[in-house]
Amino acid sequence: MSRRYDSRTTIFSPEGRIHQVEYAIEAINHAGTVIAINSKNGIFILAEAKRPSALIADKVDNEKIYKLSGCMVGCVAGITADANILINYARNQVQNHLQAFNEPAPVEKIVRQVANVKQNYTQYGGLRPFGVSIVYAAFSREGGFKLYHSDPSGNYASWKSICIGANSSSIIGTLKEKWTPDIDLTGAKNLAFEAYCKPCDVQSISSKNFETMVLTLDSDDKPLFQALGTDEVENLLKENNPIKAS
Amino acid sequence: MFQLSSKLLMAVTGEGGDTVQFAEYIAKNIQLYRMRNGYDLSTKAAASFTRRNLADYLRSSTPYMVNLLIGGHDDNDGADLYYMDYLGSMVNLPFAVHGYGSFFTLSIMDRYYKEDMTKEQTLALLQRCIDEIHERFIVNLNSFKVKIIDKDGIHVLKDIRPTTKPPVEAEGTQQQQQLMDTA
């Protein structure tokens, strides 16, 4: 490992890697998990909000899931302070688009703009990259329900279902196995909890805080964002926690 | 008239130079959006973008003195027409005119326009407007370029000219002519 080439973002290592970017991606694997699943009739997002202390007062703000526009939501995993900057930037860009074009910003445009900011910090200025991965969930008339993911390197792609944060690689394995193109919203909810619970042990799950988001269409075919109630979360956990079942 | 995209047309009038400069700027930016995002802007979005530029430049040291009409066809919203003036006001209208001709033709269009007119009826209404201008307006404008936008794109139609009426002999002209000849 060429440790001599990892202290600055603006240099390549002899193997052709930028170590700082890779370390940033590594940092996200310690953050709270976010699972997002695209289904026929909506998107379901499950996020684990890590409570650093029991003394923290009842939350006023979200920690993981942020509304970016009337049609778009961003879920973050990584360094919260970095995430706040990027979410604020994304919200600004959405409003700029609205001001110029008088219609909702397309997801891809916002994803690309935020990704370009992230890329900037891997090439110029000698500043460290953002330690944040963002999952975007959106609905548009042209594209339907869409999921995007961008990482600290500035790469982004569209996904059918995605997981970021702690245990992401094993959870993605479960998702790859079980996701089908004709999965519906209920199936997506169950799959998310099932995939989440698999790598965890039963004691820790009961004390976790979840943020959830369901993106569907209302009766006027406009995007509708709702969180699951605590009862429904309890039920889904009970049904999908494989260890408890035995 | 400037083509903004495959199904968007913009007609500009106003200060010479400003018109072409502004129209080309908007047209190229619409194309750039298409390159970056992979799809054409809707008529409403393109018109709003144009209006935003007009309004921003208005409050600068280099305002654009242009009046425009933007017409386009969307797959989602059908055909749309937007009227914009140099002060940056914009409105979606079923029919619109810029210039002195508006004093004469707006009333014609008010009277004869119907929703769901056919293409032939619309062209007949256009002909009526041109005839009115020819009759009432002091400046001789005897030929107009015509384009139509539908779900298949922009089509160029034949130029419209005022309907030629058979010459009418005014009373007493013959007498007058005779008098002039003999004087």
Side-chain angles (χ1 to χ4, degrees):
Chain A
M1 254 308 208
S2 330
R3 287 292 165 192
R4 287 185 286 166
Y5 302 96
D6 66 355
S7 59
R8 283 155 53 179
T9 51
T10 48
I11 51 180
F12 282 103
S13 77
E15 293 100 43
R17 295 149 72 172
I18 307 173
H19 286 291
Q20 278 298 306
V21 174
E22 295 185 14
Y23 297 159
I25 295 173
E26 190 54 39
I28 291 159
N29 290 329
H30 303 297
T33 316
V34 175
I35 305 178
I37 302 182
N38 199 352
S39 79
K40 284 190 305 195
N41 44 357
I43 297 180
F44 176 65
I45 302 173
L46 173 64
E48 179 208 335
K50 283 201 164 140
R51 285 269 155 268
S53 158
L55 286 175
I56 288 205
D58 284 339
K59 61 174 181 181
V60 180
D61 282 323
N62 286 333
E63 187 193 301
K64 304 291 277 181
I65 305 181
Y66 296 90
K67 201 166 188 194
L68 300 179
S69 82
C71 321
M72 211 189 308
V73 155
C75 320
V76 301
I79 302 175
T80 312
D82 289 4
N84 287 338
I85 305 287
L86 290 175
I87 293 293
N88 189 42
Y89 177 79
R91 284 172 168 165
N92 263 317
Q93 294 305 105
V94 164
Q95 295 304 318
N96 280 338
H97 182 100
L98 262 173
Q99 190 195 37
F101 297 98
N102 200 22
E103 65 174 21
V107 202
E108 233 231 272
K109 184 183 181 195
I110 303 298
V111 173
R112 194 180 55 237
Q113 284 175 316
V114 176
N116 286 340
V117 169
K118 288 183 178 178
Q119 188 276 343
N120 217 0
Y121 284 74
T122 70
Q123 197 174 18
Y124 305 105
L127 301 169
R128 69 162 175 83
F130 287 94
V132 191
S133 257
I134 309 181
V135 168
Y136 303 83
F139 173 79
S140 72
R141 234 174 5 167
E142 298 86 25
F145 291 105
K146 284 229 180 106
L147 268 182
Y148 279 88
H149 163 246
S150 73
D151 68 9
S153 69
N155 277 322
Y156 68 91
S158 179
W159 291 76
K160 300 166 190 166
S161 65
I162 177 89
C163 173
I164 55 176
N167 298 324
S168 52
S169 22
S170 68
I171 294 176
I172 284 185
T174 319
L175 291 175
K176 222 189 283 190
E177 243 181 87
K178 304 249 167 114
W179 188 89
T180 59
D182 41 80
I183 198 173
D184 70 346
L185 206 45
T186 324
K189 289 180 193 172
N190 281 299
L191 176 54
F193 276 95
E194 183 193 331
Y196 178 82
C197 294
K198 224 173 176 180
C200 295
D201 57 82
V202 66
Q203 275 100 331
S204 53
I205 289 185
S206 47
S207 60
K208 303 235 188 212
N209 279 294
F210 292 105
E211 279 180 30
T212 54
M213 176 70 76
V214 180
L215 168 55
T216 49
L217 295 181
D218 64 13
S219 44
D220 297 319
D221 280 343
K222 296 272 185 320
L224 179 63
F225 296 94
Q226 290 167 309
L228 291 181
T230 28
D231 297 336
E232 200 175 349
V233 174
E234 285 286 317
N235 286 333
L236 281 163
L237 263 177
K238 241 190 282 188
E239 281 173 40
N240 292 292
N241 196 346
I243 306 168
K244 270 218 170 118
S246 64
Chain B
M1 281 190 265
F2 291 83
Q3 184 166 346
L4 301 183
S5 77
S6 56
K7 294 203 289 184
L8 256 179
L9 209 53
M10 179 163 81
V12 272
T13 77
E15 184 90 39
D18 280 6
T19 49
V20 177
Q21 184 82 341
F22 187 71
E24 283 183 352
Y25 175 73
I26 296 295
K28 298 325 167 199
N29 267 292
I30 304 273
Q31 284 307 306
L32 181 59
Y33 188 95
R34 165 84 214 230
M35 293 298 155
R36 281 190 178 145
N37 297 286
Y39 65 92
D40 278 323
L41 276 169
S42 66
T43 317
K44 185 174 96 143
S48 300
F49 170 72
T50 310
R51 191 210 82 80
R52 166 63 39 201
N53 269 283
L54 257 182
D56 286 344
Y57 275 105
L58 181 67
R59 289 154 187 85
S60 73
S61 45
T62 56
Y64 283 103
M65 212 50 33
V66 291
N67 301 306
L68 0 136
L69 295 175
I70 294 187
H73 187 279
D74 282 338
D75 294 328
N76 286 315
D77 304 312
D80 255 335
L81 173 66
Y82 287 87
Y83 168 104
M84 226 176 297
D85 75 0
Y86 71 100
L87 293 173
S89 53
M90 178 174 95
V91 67
N92 180 216
L93 292 173
F95 51 84
V97 202
H98 273 298
Y100 289 114
S102 63
F103 289 111
F104 309 106
T105 50
L106 272 175
S107 31
I108 302 280
M109 292 193 280
D110 249 335
R111 169 74 179 82
Y112 293 110
Y113 175 83
K114 286 179 190 30
E115 259 192 61
D116 303 326
M117 285 169 81
T118 66
K119 174 177 155 183
E120 290 70 31
Q121 286 172 323
T122 317
L123 285 172
L125 178 55
L126 202 53
Q127 183 68 53
R128 252 199 147 108
C129 293
I130 307 301
D131 288 343
E132 188 66 14
I133 291 176
H134 177 71
E135 171 105 25
R136 295 292 174 190
F137 190 34
I138 194 170
V139 177
N140 181 30
L141 306 163
N142 68 353
S143 141
F144 289 77
K145 290 232 164 291
V146 185
K147 293 192 184 175
I148 190 165
I149 311 170
D150 59 23
K151 61 175 169 49
D152 303 313
I154 302 175
H155 314 282
V156 183
L157 302 175
K158 256 177 26 149
D159 290 357
I160 284 194
R161 292 164 181 275
T163 326
T164 42
K165 293 177 221 167
V168 175
E169 276 284 309
E171 292 173 19
T173 341
Q174 241 189 7
Q175 232 182 6
Q176 244 188 350
Q177 199 64 34
Q178 268 176 349
L179 282 170
M180 281 168 70
D181 285 342
T182 54

